[in-house]
Amino acid sequence: MKAHVYVTLKQTVLDPQGQAIHNALKKMQYQGIEDIRQGKYFVVKLSNDLDAASARAEIERIARDVLTNPVIEEFSFQLEDSE
Amino acid sequence: MKAHVYVTLKQTVLDPQGQAIHNALKKMQYQGIEDIRQGKYFVVKLSNDLDAASARAEIERIARDVLTNPVIEEFSFQLEDSE
């Protein structure tokens, strides 16, 4: 089983990295970009011994306790069945 | 309109950052993790003046030319209609 974890800065937190990319894109004449924010993305491969419920619980625990700084970040995740 | 861009290291490229996280998780007694790879995640807000086809073209161009290092990385993206 595979999990995709997305960690983003909270909306209220400034994202200077995203702003730098946004400014660079504007200078490079890319059109129609209003905002860009950068986050982190993790692909976690889980043992197939885990059933869906415990995989979900484990991923949520890891995302909350290890991958995310709860002061400034939030996370979401998706589980994907693979062979 | 919003676009979600995912940039990951190619499968053949070593990911020391992901390995460090994997080792840390093992030491912290998390169960059932076989592999973890870190990538980047961008949320791009697009002007509503763009139609779906040109938004798709613009995002693909930005992802390929600016956000991704084609030597070691690959990207995927999703467009999402928002109000």
Side-chain angles (χ1 to χ4, degrees):
Chain A
M1 207 181 308
K2 244 185 182 175
H4 303 264
V5 183
Y6 313 100
V7 176
T8 49
L9 288 170
K10 290 180 181 172
Q11 275 307 326
T12 47
V13 176
L14 275 182
D15 176 10
Q17 200 170 4
Q19 268 169 7
I21 299 170
H22 189 188
N23 289 337
L25 289 175
K26 271 197 271 188
K27 280 197 199 115
M28 293 163 83
Q29 317 286 335
Y30 286 96
Q31 306 287 318
I33 309 299
E34 285 186 352
D35 190 33
I36 180 161
R37 290 178 75 84
Q38 176 161 9
K40 287 176 283 184
Y41 170 51
F42 301 92
V43 182
V44 185
K45 220 170 123 193
L46 292 157
S47 154
N48 285 326
D49 304 344
L50 293 176
D51 60 71
S54 50
R56 175 170 293 274
E58 191 71 352
I59 284 296
E60 186 162 354
R61 211 154 63 93
I62 290 171
R64 195 181 46 233
D65 298 344
V66 184
L67 301 179
T68 304
N69 173 356
V71 179
I72 54 167
E73 292 172 332
E74 57 197 5
F75 69 91
S76 62
F77 66 94
Q78 277 177 335
L79 286 176
E80 174 197 303
D81 259 320
S82 56
E83 63 312 326
Chain B
M1 208 181 305
K2 245 184 181 175
H4 303 265
V5 182
Y6 314 101
V7 176
T8 49
L9 288 170
K10 289 181 180 172
Q11 276 306 326
T12 48
V13 176
L14 275 181
D15 176 12
Q17 199 170 6
Q19 267 169 8
I21 299 170
H22 190 187
N23 290 337
L25 289 175
K26 271 197 271 189
K27 279 196 200 118
M28 293 163 82
Q29 317 286 332
Y30 287 96
Q31 306 286 318
I33 309 298
E34 286 186 352
D35 189 32
I36 178 161
R37 290 179 74 84
Q38 177 162 7
K40 287 176 284 182
Y41 169 50
F42 301 91
V43 182
V44 185
K45 222 172 122 194
L46 291 157
S47 154
N48 285 326
D49 303 345
L50 293 175
D51 60 71
S54 50
R56 175 170 295 273
E58 191 71 352
I59 284 295
E60 187 161 355
R61 211 154 62 94
I62 290 172
R64 194 181 48 232
D65 297 345
V66 184
L67 302 178
T68 304
N69 173 356
V71 178
I72 56 167
E73 293 173 330
E74 57 198 3
F75 68 91
S76 62
F77 65 94
Q78 276 176 337
L79 285 176
E80 175 197 300
D81 259 320
S82 57
E83 63 315 318

